[in-house]
Every structure is written in structure tokens, then in C-alpha cells.
């Protein structure tokens, strides 16, 4: 998967990329393929998670690593490796917010927010209560500027993940980004932007909607993130076959969702 990831980054001509490696095997693999790689100095907290932690625990390490780059004044576009790059994403960023993130939403309502009406008939005249809903930002692909709110977000998420070992980094990331100040809690004052879900596409959008629509199939996304499916590697290869090599039926063998 890492090889598919960096092969397509090279193909679309992105020079400013870096693999953050958690072990020496990945360092050697990257160097042998001419891929820029960075491995942190030994850190017991990071290294123990990298060697023995589960998927969510390892994923949570990104918030510690990112802080180093933001402190140096760099804006960072973070990417998981279950992502196929089809265009240069730096040409499609707005750079007007602290955090600019792809969404797990699959249409205008879920991606960009909607007014969801809660119905409680026992309240009579006041039975309808309006609520605001939005599907979560994906913590596997987001752009972060080196601002104080962005650095504070990283600190808050990393702090909670260390105190709440059973928590999921994506859930914590969204809670800290979206929950407002309220009694006993000071909210984060961070500006946020949701990326265009047809350009920064999750795999639910691709396999449930886009591949079945003649017009949408003509769009060329900037990236495709295989976040909704566990069979990531074969789907990544199919995305390359379809969008890069022009094989029109490459996406057809896969079900909309997963088998489990």
C-alpha cells in the first residue's frame, strides 16, 4: 500500500512529500525507492505504541508527530497511506482556515451540514426541535496551518488519547474541533473548512455513487481515500487501473460495502 501511495505521488509530480516512519524496515524500504523519509529520535511513548499498539493507537501518533512540523512554521497536508493521489492536492486547497479536511460524508447534506429535526410528540406544540448535524472530518487526510488554534488542537487530541487509551483518534479529533464552549469546558477557537467530497473522495462516495453515474464517472478526483473498506489494497489498485490506466470496468468487481 505504501508503494502504491508514493508511486502515485511521484507520478502526479508532488515534490514536497515525506514519509514519517515508525520502524527501521520502512526507513530502509523508502531509501531503497528514493522516497524521502523521516524517523523521530527514540521516544519511549511513541516507540512502544508503534511496536505493540493497535490500529487506532498507532493512528493517534500522527498528532504528536505533526506538532513538530507546525512548531517550525510549516503547513502540513497529512495523508494516510490507503490513499491514491490522482492530482496535486496543493493546487486545490483554499488555505483560509486552521484545519481543512476531507469528510466522511457522502452528499451535500452529510458533508456540509444540515438541519435535522427531532420529533417528540409528547411536547405538543413544541414537539419539533431543530438540531444541526454534520458527518465527521476524516483524520486520515487534512491540511493544517501553523496557527495557535491548530497547535492547540493537536495538543488537546494527543492529551486525550494518552489519558483515554480506548478512544478513537478520529472521534476525539472531531469532538475537539466541533464542540463549543460550555459550562466547565473551553472550546477550541479554530476555523475549519470541509473539502469538496467529489475532489477529495472517500471510498463510499466512489463505490456507492460515482461509479454508477455516467456523468460523475467522468470526474477526476484529486485523491481517493479507501477509508470505508477493509480490502484496501485491491481497491487501491483498482482505482489506479480505472483513473490512471483507463480500464473502464476496473471498479465493477467490488461490492458497495464490505463483506463484514
Amino acid at each position: 500500500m505504501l508503494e502504491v501511495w508514493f508511486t502515485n505521488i511521484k507520478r502526479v509530480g508532488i515534490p514536497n512529500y515525506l514519509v514519517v516512519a515508525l520502524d527501521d524496515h520502512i526507513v530502509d524500504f523508502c531509501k531503497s525507492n528514493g522516497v524521502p523519509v523521516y524517523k523521530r529520535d527514540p521516544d519511549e511513548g511513541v516507540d512502544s505504541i508503534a511496536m505493540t499498539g493497535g490500529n487506532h493507537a498507532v493512528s493517534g501518533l500522527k498528532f504528536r508527530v505533526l506538532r513538530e512540523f507546525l512548531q517550525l512554521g510549516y503547513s502540513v497536508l497529512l495523508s494516510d497511506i490507503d490513499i491514491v493521489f490522482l492530482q496535486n492536492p496543493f493546487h486545490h486547497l483554499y488555505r483560509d482556515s486552521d484545519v481543512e479536511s476531507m469528510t466522511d460524508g457522502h452528499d451535500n447534506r452529510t458533508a456540509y451540514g444540515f438541519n435535522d429535526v427531532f420529533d417528540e410528540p409528547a411536547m405538543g406544540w413544541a414537539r419539533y426541535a431543530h438540531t444541526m448535524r454534520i458527518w465527521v472530518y476524516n483524520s486520515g487526510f487534512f491540511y493544517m496551518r501553523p496557527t495557535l488554534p491548530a497547535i492547540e488542537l493537536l495538543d488537546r487530541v494527543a492529551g486525550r488519547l494518552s489519558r483515554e487509551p480506548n478512544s478513537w483518534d478520529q472521534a476525539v479529533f472531531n469532538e475537539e474541533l466541533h464542540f463549543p464552549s460550555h459550562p466547565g469546558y473551553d472550546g477550541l477557537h479554530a476555523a475549519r473548512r470541509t473539502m469538496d467530497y467529489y475532489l477529495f473522495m472517500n471510498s463510499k462516495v466512489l463505490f456507492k455513487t460515482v461509479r454508477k453515474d455516467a456523468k460523475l464517472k467522468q470526474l477526476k478526483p484529486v485523491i481517493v481515500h479507501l477509508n470505508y473498506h477493509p480490502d484496501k489494497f485491491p481497491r487501491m489498485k483498482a482505482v489506479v487501473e480505472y483513473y490512471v490506466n483507463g480500464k473502464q470496468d476496473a471498479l465493477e468487481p467490488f461490492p458497495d460495502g464490505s463483506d463484514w
Side-chain angles (χ1 to χ4, degrees):
M1 286 170 59
L2 176 60
E3 188 169 14
V4 173
W5 182 86
F6 66 62
T7 297
N8 284 280
I9 284 177
K10 292 179 178 180
R11 184 182 54 77
V12 300
I14 303 170
N16 50 319
Y17 73 101
L18 179 68
V19 173
V20 179
L22 296 177
D23 59 61
D24 293 330
H25 171 68
I26 295 298
V27 172
D28 295 339
F29 179 70
C30 288
K31 288 181 176 179
S32 67
N33 284 276
V35 172
V37 62
Y38 163 69
K39 187 171 183 290
R40 295 174 50 132
D41 292 333
D43 181 312
E44 184 178 346
V46 171
D47 296 341
S48 62
I49 294 173
M51 289 185 289
T52 62
N55 182 40
H56 287 172
V58 171
S59 184
L61 293 176
K62 69 185 71 167
F63 299 98
R64 298 195 200 182
V65 175
L66 273 179
R67 196 188 202 284
E68 299 178 31
F69 294 93
L70 264 64
Q71 273 189 302
L72 293 171
Y74 293 106
S75 297
V76 177
L77 179 63
L78 179 132
S79 170
D80 283 353
I81 63 165
D82 57 340
I83 289 175
V84 178
F85 286 76
L86 301 167
Q87 299 185 60
N88 188 331
F90 292 103
H91 298 161
H92 299 271
L93 297 173
Y94 285 81
R95 297 177 168 87
D96 63 351
S97 304
D98 298 299
V99 179
E100 196 168 340
S101 178
M102 75 169 293
T103 174
D104 275 1
H106 56 91
D107 56 21
N108 285 350
R109 282 164 50 86
T110 56
Y112 307 140
F114 64 103
N115 185 350
D116 189 38
V117 180
F118 175 78
D119 183 10
E120 189 176 3
M123 286 299 294
W125 175 80
R127 65 183 290 180
Y128 299 112
H130 290 255
T131 75
M132 300 306 299
R133 296 189 64 187
I134 186 170
W135 285 33
V136 293
Y137 285 174
N138 191 288
S139 62
F141 191 90
F142 57 83
Y143 178 73
M144 194 172 275
R145 296 171 62 223
T147 63
L148 290 176
I151 292 172
E152 185 179 351
L153 172 64
L154 296 176
D155 287 343
R156 287 184 179 214
V157 175
R160 279 191 55 188
L161 292 175
S162 66
R163 296 190 304 271
E164 305 167 17
N166 295 322
S167 57
W168 180 27
D169 69 282
Q170 180 160 292
V172 173
F173 174 69
N174 278 272
E175 289 169 1
E176 294 298 334
L177 195 53
H178 290 280
F179 283 173
S181 298
H182 54 263
Y185 175 77
D186 291 327
L188 181 74
H189 302 286
R192 56 194 184 272
R193 170 180 283 276
T194 307
M195 292 175 170
D196 185 325
Y197 63 89
Y198 283 135
L199 293 179
F200 298 91
M201 190 182 296
N202 63 58
S203 54
K204 179 176 181 177
V205 171
L206 176 61
F207 286 97
K208 279 203 71 178
T209 305
V210 169
R211 68 170 173 168
K212 302 175 185 179
D213 186 292
K215 288 186 177 180
L216 292 177
K217 284 179 72 173
Q218 297 175 28
L219 291 174
K220 187 174 185 180
V222 177
I223 64 151
V224 174
H225 188 178
L226 282 304
N227 59 313
Y228 268 100
H229 298 90
D231 52 338
K232 298 176 183 297
F233 188 43
R235 288 186 190 248
M236 286 179 75
K237 291 189 289 186
V239 167
V240 173
E241 285 295 317
Y242 180 76
Y243 284 109
V244 179
N245 300 328
K247 186 179 178 183
Q248 293 300 303
D249 61 348
L251 303 175
E252 300 311 313
F254 299 93
D256 288 357
S258 60
D259 295 329
W260 51 276

